[in-house]
Amino acid sequence: MSSVSIRNLQISFGALNVLETLDLEVQEGEFIVLLGPSGCGKSTLLNAIAGLLDITEGQIWIDGRNVTWAEPHERGIGMVFQSYALYPRLTVEGNLSFGLKMSGMPKAEIARRVLEAARILQLEHLLQRQPAQLSGGQRQRVAIGRALVRNAKVLLFDEPLSNLDAKLRTELRVEIKRLHKSLGSTMIFVTHDQVEALTLADRVAVMHKGVIQQLATSKEIYQRPINRFVAGFVGSPQMNFLPGTLVRRENATCFRLRDGSEVNLTGYVFSRPFADGQAATLGIRPEQALLRPSEHQHPDRLEAVFTIEEPMGPDTLLWGTLAGESFSVRISSDQTPVIGAKTDLYVNMAQASLFDEAGDRL
Ligand SMILES: Nc1ncnc2c1ncn2[C@@H]1O[C@H](COP(=O)(O)OP(=O)(O)OP(=O)(O)O)[C@@H](O)[C@H]1O
Ligand SMILES: [Mg+2]
């Protein structure tokens, strides 16, 4: 097992600064997911760790060693890409052993490692096939196997599942989680798929414009997003945002919506001070607004009008407006919604989010 430490990393392509003073500490055996929109710098960061590109400034340490200027093969890493890049004329066995043969490893050791990787990835019965005779999921498992045979302590994945159909993605996602449990190796996994990120990660690093916005467990990211970007990027349908102002009352803090209506913020834990009359945005996830008040909490009431109903199977999405803003809720499919008329919604403010005008969590 190995830790990875990225210190003050800066990467520019000509005049374009892709990463600026980025720090990231990955613990031994940890599964870190880099999550962010296209172009935010995920692959750039992963490639820098792998040694595939020159960095402008900063250091990269793996397993207590400064590898900033080390060659990729000296870093003790294995990398799996979105495109499998298998040798089409070699069998699965040939693909798995190719890199080891090139390094001059003894035959018996190569055979042992290939069989071990094939066993872990359930490829034993496919060893004599060529890539063209494999399904997409099997090809991606071979690509993962090529990283495994190197006994890498750190495995880097760059969107390894995005070429697969939805069903295979889910299957292989679970397999990768199982693999991490059994190998215990340090893993850094890049994706722009939030479900993949939340399900796989010990900690998720949400990236935007080359900056890690929040590094935390899936639960923390989802329940206490640090800013509006993270709040809006993680969660589907996305968090509802209601603009308004904070109002201090004698024994309560209220949120005044644009239409003049007010809700109590009872239960909301502010992480920093705020001013009376300060502009803010109230963030409520679709499943945090209920059609009936729950008994043991202090739910607050809001009024919405829903116009569209989308049955999703176990639950139903309702789309409409609240205080002039578009608003969605997720209800259980055994509940009957009212469409086209005013509907009371009950929100437990302890679960809601508040952001200041700059978009930072209050
Ligand atoms: N070799 C390069 N030369 C110039 N610009 C580059 C180069 N590689 C990447 N970039 C730019 O750096 C930014 C980050 O790219 P990167 O590939 O890291 O994004 P990403 O987060 O992996 O996106 P995606 O989800 O689309 O793969 C982009 O604006 C991209 O255009
Ligand atoms: Mg990428």
Side-chain angles (χ1 to χ4, degrees), residues 42-43 158-159 190:
K42 306 178 296 293
S43 297
D158 195 348
E159 311 234 17
V190 162

Side-chain angles (χ1 to χ4, degrees), residues 341-353:
K342 284 181 179 169
T343 304
D344 284 341
L345 292 178
Y346 298 90
V347 179
N348 175 6
M349 288 300 164
Q351 299 172 343
S353 294

Side-chain angles (χ1 to χ4, degrees), residues 25 33 65 108 156 158 174 259 302 342:
E25 294 290 329
V33 175
R65 229 162 35 94
L156 308 176
D158 195 348
V174 176
D259 66 354
L302 293 161
K342 284 181 179 169

